């Protein structure tokens, strides 16, 4: 009898355990959920390893209600309907989730969530995983050497990351995060049909009232879960895109995430109807894929073209695009996503009622057309001076600019300018609404979500009518002005994409999980802050690892080709592009190329380096050497597909300082330098190290007879470079060329040990140190395309 009882107890335990485990298999993925709504297993079927971490909780879906986070109390699964029902007893909320099994993945979609008024947001997961090697923060996929496990958001209302009140993430991505146990993957959706007040744009504008969107709640939030062999991850994403109707841009019959698996480079320059042929020829000569216009518009919002550049308007731009296509090139234009200029028809002369507001107040008295001190019910929104650049309010069809608002009641907008931006001055009445317009330091306004969607369609229409096919979603963070967070960010690109009749290559200023499917590349790094080596270079290099983690092509950002750019500067950058197998954008102009004595030669250098890079001519060892920012290289073409690669060799850095000497005693420094390479023209660098002061009347003597006189002043922080020609170039502390000096001649030095005498006059700061170094071109390494 005792044995029978034990057997019954064992069978009952097994039965209860089997009921409490809800198991789902899809492709290589197996997941199990218990009867409380928590994962108990996330296994790759091939490896038979459970990748779920046991070090923390693992809810299927977390609930946000009145700013608090709630975990599920119970789970029931209906096998007939494939519906998971989650209960959150402490807040009396019930959520139904539809499960669909596919060959490559399974989908989870919220089909019912009640009562909606109690639901602020939901978070899928977070799901804790043991994998830690590659964490794709943008795409929501984590990988080790063998396996990938991922979460894909399947519509624009679902985005990767954890919930925040604004509904945005200010890092590059949070769909997957590094954790002490390994990683986590997560996504969220917000109930947008309830009234919300949000500190928008990372808190720049406080307590912004957000217009509810009827019917836009968490129902429809949808994700896919999958696991696969690590080398097949990109293929798996493509399968999911096709199966779930996600954006799937194609170029020449190939998915863009495969066609642009490697970074490709392009030219950013001002082209016009008049010079399009010349600029396309320069683009082609440099071996670049696209010519991209930095600013062709008279306004943003309606995107009217600048008629000085395009006198025939859209027809003229279409002719340019047709010529680019005939040349096998892309043609693009630049804008700032949803920014609206004050001269645009959405602002002037009749401001659109859908312009975004940071908040509003009411008139506390009637005002006529001459009133310049305007009484308002509150100072809130009007007194924000941290993000208030145009000081503008809209009342009716008039925009009014004000200097300030009084700090205590009665609140008065002071020194008002009526009829701003060519709007019509009018009388207004007690309790009329004054909306504080959302603005920016670029002297623009922004749309609410409805107007933003119209603007995205305006932009798509321009691309359809002209055939241009390259765009950067620069200023993409402007979509946050709608108050709808990353939903608005993703929605702008989605609306643009859906309304196109051809594929458009696109980059962005910020990255988002859903937008990843539309994006072609992210080309981050600006050239405005210094020379090639100084302007955001560390930031550019650090981005390459992020691109690897998220299956994005390597890109190094924008660089600036000016009338002063040298071959050595260009080759330094091109070597870095080759090292990281990265594309880039070269910003220039027709005048800069033509006024630079090496302008065409620089374009030729770009083509040779890019041809060698994309042809896999560089070995892994060479690429590793080229990553060193202190090393320079030179590429010389032998014939098509074959080159000689040279590395520059450097002397030690010699130091010259001011020393106390006896009267008449020489003040120069004497150094020994061994030149180990073949005979070649002298190349050297002088750097003035110090906080202040300068040097002048510099003299360099080699082997007691070759003397160079440099009778110019160099200030602390400046550098003088001789690249083996008579032209010396002087750079400021940011690496920008500021002056030149021409020598009468430049000597050649043999392969031998040389004596160098260096002297200079140190002025206004006796603590200055002068650094002097030499470089020579090393032996050739023959390379070829493979």
């Amino acid at each position: 009898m005792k044995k029978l009882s034990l057997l019954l107890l064992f069978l009952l335990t097994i039965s209860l355990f089997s009921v409490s485990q809800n198991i789902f298999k899809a492709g290589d993925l197996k997941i199990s959920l218990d009867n409380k709504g928590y994962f108990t297993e996330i296994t790759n079927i091939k490896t038979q390893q459970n990748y779920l971490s046991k070090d923390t909780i693992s809810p299927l879906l977390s609930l946000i209600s009145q700013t608090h986070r709630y975990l599920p109390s119970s789970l029931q699964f209906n096998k007939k309907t494939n519906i998971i029902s989650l209960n959150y007893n402490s807040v009396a909320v019930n959520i139904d989730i539809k499960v669909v099994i596919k060959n490559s993945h399974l989908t989870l979609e919220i089909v019912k969530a009640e009562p909606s008024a109690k639901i602020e947001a939901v978070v899928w997961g977070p799901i804790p995983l043991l994998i830690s090697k590659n964490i794709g923060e943008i795409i929501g996929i984590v990988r080790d050497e063998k396996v990938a496990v991922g979460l894909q958001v399947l519509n624009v209302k679902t985005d990767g990351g954890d919930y925040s009140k604004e509904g945005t993430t200010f890092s590059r991505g949070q769909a997957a995060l590094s954790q002490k146990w390994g990683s986590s993957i997560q996504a969220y959706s917000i109930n947008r049909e309830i009234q919300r007040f949000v500190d928008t744009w990372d808190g720049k504008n406080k307590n912004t009232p957000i217009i509810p969107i009827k019917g836009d709640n968490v129902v429809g939030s949808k994700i896919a879960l999958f696991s696969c062999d690590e080398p097949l991850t990109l293929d798996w994403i493509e399968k999911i895109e096709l199966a779930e109707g996600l954006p799937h841009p194609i170029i020449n019959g190939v998915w863009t995430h495969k066609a642009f698996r490697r970074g490709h480079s392009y030219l950013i320059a001002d082209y016009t109807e008049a010079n399009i042929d010349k600029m396309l020829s320069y683009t082609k000569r440099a071996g670049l894929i696209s010519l991209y216009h930095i600013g062709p518009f008279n306004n943003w919002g309606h995107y009217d073209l600048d008629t000085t550049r395009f006198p025939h308007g859209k027809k003229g731009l279409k002719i340019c695009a047709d010529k680019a296509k005939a040349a096998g090139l892309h043609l693009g234009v630049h804008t700032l996503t949803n920014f609206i200029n004050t001269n645009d028809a959405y602002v002037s002369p009749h401001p659109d009622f859908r312009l975004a507001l940071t908040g509003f107040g009411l008139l506390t008295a009637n005002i006529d057309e001459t009133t310049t001190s305007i009484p308002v019910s509150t100072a809130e929104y009007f007194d924000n001076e941290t993000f208030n650049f145009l000081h503008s309010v809209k009342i009716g069809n008039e925009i009014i600019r004000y200097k300030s608002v009084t700090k205590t009641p009665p609140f008065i907008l002071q020194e008002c300018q009526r009829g701003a931006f060519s709007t019509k001055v009018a009388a207004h009445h007690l309790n009329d609404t004054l909306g504080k317009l959302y603005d920016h330091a670029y002297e623009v306004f922004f749309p609410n979500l409805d107007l933003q969607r119209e603007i995205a369609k305006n932009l798509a229409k321009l691309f359809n009518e002209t055939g241009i096919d390259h765009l950067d979603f620069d200023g993409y963070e402007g979509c946050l002005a709608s108050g709808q967070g990353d939903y608005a960010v993703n929605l702008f690109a989605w609306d643009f994409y859906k309304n196109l009749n051809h594929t458009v290559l696109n980059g962005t200023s910020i990255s988002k999980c859903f937008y990843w499917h539309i994006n072609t590349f992210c080309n981050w790094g600006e050239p405005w802050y210094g020379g090639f080596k100084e302007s955001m270079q560390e930031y550019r290099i650090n981005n390459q690892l992020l691109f690897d983690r998220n299956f994005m092509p390597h890109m190094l950002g924008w660089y600036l080709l000016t009338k002063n750019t040298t071959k050595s500067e260009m080759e330094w950058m091109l070597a870095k592009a080759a090292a990281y197998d990265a594309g880039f954008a070269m910003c220039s102009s027709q005048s800069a190329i033509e006024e630079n004595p090496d302008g065409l030669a620089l374009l030729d250098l770009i083509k040779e380096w890019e041809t060698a890079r994309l042809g896999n001519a560089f070995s892994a060892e060479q690429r590793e050497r080229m990553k060193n920012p202190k090393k320079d290289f030179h590429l010389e073409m032998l014939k098509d597909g074959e080159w000689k690669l040279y590395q520059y060799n450097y002397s030690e850095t010699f130091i010259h300082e001011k020393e106390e000497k006896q009267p008449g005693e020489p003040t120069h420094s004497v150094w020994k330098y061994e030149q180990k390479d073949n005979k070649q023209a002298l190349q050297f660098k002088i750097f003035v190290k110090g906080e202040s002061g300068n040097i002048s009347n510099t003299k360099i003597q080699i082997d007691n007879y070759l003397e160079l006189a440099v009778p110019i002043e160099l200030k602390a922080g400046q550098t003088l470079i001789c690249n083996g020609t008579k032209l010396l170039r002087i750079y400021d502390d940011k690496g920008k060329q500021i002056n030149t000096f021409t020598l009468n001649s430049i000597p050649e030095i043999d392969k031998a040990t040389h004596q160098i005498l260096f002297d200079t006059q140190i002025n206004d700061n006796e603590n200055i140190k002068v650094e002097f170094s030499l470089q020579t071109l090393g032996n050739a390494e023959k390379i070829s395309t493979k």
Side-chain angles (χ1 to χ4, degrees):
M1 186 70 182
K2 186 176 181 181
K3 289 183 178 179
L4 180 62
S5 298
L6 288 172
L7 177 62
L8 289 172
L9 180 62
F10 174 74
L11 292 173
L12 180 61
T13 301
I14 294 297
S15 175
L16 288 172
F17 179 78
S18 63
V19 169
S20 67
Q21 299 301 305
N22 302 280
I23 299 172
F24 307 91
K25 296 179 181 179
D28 293 344
L29 177 70
K30 175 185 175 185
I31 68 170
S32 297
L33 295 162
D34 65 18
N35 60 6
K36 290 187 176 182
Y38 294 82
F39 288 96
T40 59
E41 179 183 16
I42 295 182
T43 293
N44 180 278
I45 294 172
K46 287 185 177 179
T47 65
Q48 287 297 301
Q49 182 173 346
N50 182 3
Y51 291 97
L52 184 72
S53 172
K54 304 297 185 181
D55 289 349
T56 185
I57 58 173
S58 51
L60 170 62
L61 191 76
S62 303
L63 169 70
I64 312 297
S65 180
Q66 295 183 339
T67 73
H68 292 92
R69 186 178 295 249
Y70 297 91
L71 300 174
S73 309
S74 63
L75 177 151
Q76 297 86 38
F77 178 60
N78 187 322
K79 292 184 178 180
K80 291 183 179 180
T81 61
N82 281 333
I83 297 291
I84 291 173
S85 296
L86 293 176
N87 301 308
Y88 300 83
N89 293 339
S90 57
V91 283
V93 168
N94 300 301
I95 297 178
D96 287 353
I97 299 171
K98 177 78 171 179
V99 183
V100 178
I101 305 298
K102 303 288 180 75
N103 290 332
S104 54
H105 63 285
L106 64 82
T107 66
L108 301 165
E109 181 180 7
I110 297 177
V111 293
K112 185 178 179 182
E114 295 179 345
S116 180
K118 287 188 176 183
I119 301 172
E120 187 176 328
V122 293
V123 177
W124 294 98
I127 304 171
L129 300 169
L130 297 172
I131 296 172
S132 61
K133 183 178 179 183
N134 281 301
I135 299 173
E137 59 266 56
I138 299 172
I139 55 171
I141 298 171
V142 297
R143 297 173 284 146
D144 62 17
E145 295 83 356
K146 295 181 179 180
V147 166
V149 177
L151 180 158
Q152 292 286 278
V153 300
L154 297 183
N155 52 39
V156 74
K157 75 186 303 173
T158 315
D159 203 26
D162 206 341
Y163 168 75
S164 69
K165 192 171 182 181
E166 185 178 3
T168 191
T169 57
F170 288 92
S171 60
R172 287 301 182 195
Q174 294 183 3
L177 291 173
S178 176
Q179 305 287 2
K180 62 182 180 180
W181 56 79
S183 58
S184 65
I185 51 178
Q186 51 271 317
Y188 69 95
S189 287
I190 291 176
N191 183 0
R192 302 181 189 279
E193 69 177 0
I194 60 176
Q195 179 66 61
R196 298 183 298 133
F197 291 85
V198 173
D199 295 345
T200 53
W201 207 325
D202 199 22
K204 290 180 173 64
N205 283 291
K206 307 292 185 183
N207 202 37
T208 302
I210 308 303
I211 302 171
I213 304 173
K214 187 176 180 180
D216 195 344
N217 49 41
V218 300
V219 171
S221 180
K222 187 177 183 182
I223 63 168
L225 294 176
F226 75 95
S227 183
C228 67
D229 294 343
E230 193 280 332
L232 299 178
T233 307
L234 198 59
D235 295 331
W236 233 258
I237 299 172
E238 184 173 24
K239 290 178 183 179
I240 294 171
E241 280 192 1
L242 293 170
E244 301 302 330
L246 286 168
H248 190 73
I250 298 292
I251 187 163
N252 298 325
V254 180
W255 181 35
T256 55
H257 278 284
K258 290 183 175 178
F260 283 82
R261 191 69 193 93
R262 301 175 70 183
H264 291 264
S265 305
Y266 54 97
L267 178 65
I268 298 178
D270 185 348
Y271 60 84
T272 66
E273 288 184 44
N275 78 349
I276 183 65
D277 294 321
K278 176 69 73 173
M279 297 312 298
L280 288 173
S281 72
Y282 288 157
T283 308
K284 197 80 172 175
R285 180 164 182 160
L288 304 173
I289 68 162
S290 181
L291 175 60
Y292 187 78
H293 203 303
I294 194 65
F297 299 112
N298 183 53
N299 51 53
W300 299 329
H302 285 85
Y303 304 107
D304 299 315
L305 290 166
D306 179 354
T307 54
T308 62
R309 292 177 169 91
F310 301 97
H312 296 95
K314 293 179 183 178
K315 290 182 179 179
L317 182 56
K318 185 179 187 307
I319 290 171
C320 294
D322 289 343
K323 288 182 175 181
K325 186 176 181 179
L329 298 171
H330 299 278
L331 195 72
V333 295
H334 192 74
T335 182
L336 291 180
T337 306
N338 69 334
F339 289 35
I340 303 174
N341 292 124
T342 57
N343 67 333
D344 188 86
Y346 285 127
V347 175
S348 176
H350 305 294
D352 196 288
F353 70 93
R354 297 167 296 173
L355 290 172
L357 306 176
T358 67
F360 59 88
L362 303 176
L363 276 182
T364 58
N366 295 333
I367 62 171
D368 62 23
E369 294 89 336
T370 64
T371 305
T372 58
S373 295
I374 298 178
V376 64
S377 59
T378 180
E380 186 182 15
Y381 308 120
F382 307 104
D383 60 0
N384 176 7
E385 290 301 322
T386 60
F387 209 71
N388 187 3
F389 304 96
L390 292 175
H391 281 230
S392 297
V393 300
K394 189 180 84 68
I395 179 168
N397 286 320
E398 181 183 2
I399 295 177
I400 300 170
R401 299 186 72 178
Y402 63 96
K403 181 180 180 180
S404 59
V405 61
T406 54
K407 298 183 183 300
T408 58
F411 298 112
I412 305 292
L413 299 181
Q414 301 178 108
E415 298 184 36
C416 294
Q417 300 173 10
R418 303 295 299 275
F421 310 114
S422 300
T423 58
K424 186 176 181 180
V425 178
H428 304 287
H429 306 289
L430 174 69
N431 291 329
D432 280 354
T433 299
L434 291 95
K436 172 65 182 67
L437 289 169
Y438 215 122
D439 61 19
H440 188 273
Y442 287 7
E443 298 187 351
V444 294
F445 295 123
F446 293 97
N448 70 10
L449 193 67
D450 182 48
L451 181 55
Q452 174 190 295
R453 303 195 71 176
E454 182 176 305
I455 288 172
K457 293 175 183 177
N458 292 346
L459 193 58
K461 182 180 178 182
L462 172 74
F463 275 67
N464 291 340
E465 291 177 352
T466 61
I468 52 178
D469 59 356
H470 183 182
L471 173 72
D472 257 359
F473 291 106
D474 199 6
Y476 205 8
E477 57 276 14
C479 296
L480 300 177
S482 69
Q484 299 294 353
D486 289 348
Y487 173 71
V489 174
N490 286 313
L491 192 61
F492 188 97
W494 182 223
D495 283 334
F496 176 73
Y497 175 86
K498 286 188 300 182
N499 285 279
L500 291 171
N501 61 15
H502 61 283
T503 298
V504 171
L505 309 183
N506 63 93
T508 178
S509 59
I510 56 176
S511 52
K512 298 298 171 186
C513 190
F514 179 85
Y515 168 66
W516 182 94
H517 298 281
I518 296 170
N519 173 251
T520 315
F521 47 74
C522 295
N523 198 22
W524 297 320
E526 298 181 0
W528 324 120
Y529 313 111
F532 277 61
K533 298 182 181 182
E534 286 78 13
S535 190
M536 304 178 73
Q537 193 59 30
E538 183 178 356
Y539 166 78
R540 299 170 191 264
I541 299 306
N542 290 341
N543 283 331
Q544 307 314 306
L545 292 175
L546 176 131
F547 297 150
D548 283 336
R549 295 192 297 269
N550 293 282
F551 293 96
M552 301 163 78
H554 287 194
M555 299 294 289
L556 279 179
W558 296 16
Y559 291 90
L560 191 61
L561 191 167
T562 73
K563 64 180 181 180
N564 297 320
T565 300
T566 66
K567 293 179 182 178
S568 61
E569 290 172 320
M570 182 63 74
E571 288 203 283
W572 182 90
M573 186 280 296
L574 292 168
K576 299 302 164 283
Y580 291 97
D581 192 16
F584 55 85
M586 188 57 60
C587 302
S588 194
S589 65
Q590 181 178 353
S591 62
I593 294 169
E594 294 174 356
E595 290 175 21
N596 189 312
D598 293 323
L600 297 180
L602 292 172
L603 299 182
D604 293 339
L605 279 174
I606 294 171
K607 183 174 184 178
E608 293 307 320
W609 277 92
E610 283 291 274
T611 302
R613 174 178 72 86
L614 293 169
N616 300 312
F618 302 106
S619 70
E621 186 273 334
Q622 288 167 337
R623 289 178 55 199
E624 194 61 34
R625 273 190 279 139
M626 289 190 288
K627 288 179 181 180
N628 189 333
K630 295 181 179 180
K631 294 185 182 297
D632 290 87
F633 295 83
H634 170 62
L635 193 68
E636 183 180 297
M637 187 181 76
L638 293 174
K639 61 182 181 180
D640 285 350
E642 291 187 12
W643 300 267
K644 286 182 180 179
L645 176 68
Y646 298 87
Q647 179 176 329
Y648 283 93
N649 296 316
Y650 304 96
S651 72
E652 65 178 286
T653 298
F654 301 107
I655 305 296
H656 176 81
E657 299 178 85
K658 189 170 185 176
E659 296 180 1
E660 292 296 330
K661 301 283 187 177
Q662 296 181 22
E665 183 180 0
T667 58
H668 60 244
S669 296
V670 181
W671 306 307
K672 292 292 184 182
Y673 164 59
E674 185 180 1
Q675 208 278 72
K676 298 179 180 181
D677 296 306
N678 295 327
K679 183 178 180 179
Q680 55 192 274
L682 177 67
Q683 301 183 59
F684 62 88
K685 179 172 73 172
I686 299 172
F687 172 63
V688 184
K689 187 175 184 179
E691 298 296 323
S692 62
N694 64 81
I695 66 171
S696 59
N697 297 319
T698 301
K699 293 181 181 180
I700 305 165
Q701 188 180 98
I702 301 172
D703 297 335
N704 295 318
Y705 79 102
L706 285 175
E707 185 170 302
L708 297 179
V710 187
I712 58 174
E713 178 185 286
L714 287 178
K715 295 180 180 179
Q718 292 181 348
T719 302
L720 180 146
I721 293 179
C722 172
N723 285 320
T725 70
K726 293 185 288 185
L727 185 67
L728 307 183
R729 299 175 185 269
I730 297 92
Y731 297 85
D732 66 13
D733 61 348
K734 301 296 184 183
K736 289 186 177 181
Q737 183 179 314
I738 56 174
N739 203 355
T740 61
F741 177 78
T742 303
L743 297 169
N744 292 325
S745 63
I746 190 75
E748 291 189 332
I749 54 174
D750 295 317
K751 182 178 182 179
T753 299
H754 301 274
Q755 177 178 277
I756 297 175
L757 274 65
F758 183 93
D759 202 4
T760 190
Q761 182 177 327
I762 295 177
N763 308 305
D764 300 330
N765 182 359
E766 294 186 354
N767 295 319
I768 274 181
K769 292 183 179 181
V770 182
E771 297 182 354
F772 179 83
S773 59
L774 302 100
Q775 70 177 30
T776 52
L777 199 61
N779 296 324
E781 304 170 54
K782 191 174 179 181
I783 63 172
S784 61
T785 54
K786 299 175 176 62

